[in-house]
Amino acid sequence: AGATALCVLPTAAPRRQEHQAALGFGKMLAHELKNPLASIRGAAQLLAPGVAPEDRDLPQTIIEDVDRITSLANRWSSIGDVELQADEPVNLNRVSVEALERLARSSALGGEIIVEQFDPSLPLGRGDVLLLPQVVLNLLQNALDALEDTREPCIRVETYYDALDRGADGTRPAPLVIAVRD
């Protein structure tokens, strides 16, 4: 109650015509994104040497974000054939912190509305290291949007090990959880 669960599940194979249309759109979109991204990356590299010492991390942040978007665009170029990279080790606390940092850089977010509660004892999970941070960032942005006209806004970001959710037959291991609540 009061929560939304996001599950990425495989679907039935698309019909051939729909698949071809999606593939063409994905390639066109990726191509259109990568050209301006290359210009932004190059500009950040050129500006980096002249940046004041207290702002030296800004050009590097731009370069890292552009590289991340470019990687996502490359994956979108094969839309219809996209597979989650679920075999990669991922630290849910790090994913949450990176998403919060990106949100802070992209909005006039006051840190006082964010409440972080991360479990430092979490083991590494397995997931898609490119898409999982994007999901968390999207959830944070949605929470921020939902609080726009709220008198006392608060967004709680938590990571934890849910020992109670073992499945009906008890065979499923307890999952690792990232929760974003507004």
Side-chain angles (χ1 to χ4, degrees):
T4 301
L6 171 68
C7 298
V8 181
L9 304 172
T11 61
R15 286 174 269 169
R16 178 126 178 96
Q17 190 176 28
E18 291 171 352
H19 178 77
Q20 290 301 328
L23 188 59
F25 175 75
K27 286 182 179 178
M28 185 267 315
L29 179 63
H31 175 75
E32 293 300 322
L33 286 174
K34 290 192 301 186
N35 287 334
L37 288 172
S39 295
I40 293 167
R41 189 180 201 287
Q45 288 174 320
L46 290 172
L47 291 172
V51 172
E54 63 272 12
D55 295 326
R56 293 280 158 121
D57 62 325
L58 295 177
Q60 187 57 38
T61 298
I62 293 168
I63 291 167
E64 289 170 6
D65 282 350
V66 165
D67 289 347
R68 183 179 59 83
I69 295 167
T70 301
S71 294
L72 288 170
N74 286 333
R75 290 174 78 179
W76 276 101
S77 71
S78 61
I79 193 168
D81 294 330
V82 173
E83 292 183 24
L84 296 176
Q85 305 299 314
D87 291 339
E88 299 168 279
V90 61
N91 179 319
L92 296 188
N93 293 330
R94 187 73 221 143
V95 165
S96 300
V97 167
E98 288 174 5
L100 285 165
E101 288 171 352
R102 283 194 171 95
L103 183 67
R105 286 192 305 261
S106 67
S107 66
L109 176 66
E112 63 277 356
I113 75 165
I114 301 289
V115 176
E116 300 173 9
Q117 188 172 0
F118 301 143
D119 181 348
S121 69
L122 284 184
L124 289 177
R126 303 205 62 81
D128 189 312
V129 297
L130 277 178
L131 296 180
L132 188 57
Q134 189 63 45
V135 168
V136 176
L137 180 59
N138 290 348
L139 291 172
L140 286 166
Q141 186 61 57
N142 289 347
L144 189 60
D145 292 345
L147 296 174
E148 192 171 289
D149 296 324
T150 304
R151 186 175 299 228
E152 295 181 31
C154 180
I155 299 173
R156 177 178 288 283
V157 182
E158 301 172 88
T159 61
Y160 58 93
Y161 187 80
D162 188 352
L164 299 177
D165 189 7
R166 299 241 179 224
D169 58 2
T171 57
R172 189 169 78 206
L176 302 176
V177 177
I178 296 176
V180 177
R181 296 182 175 94
D182 59 66

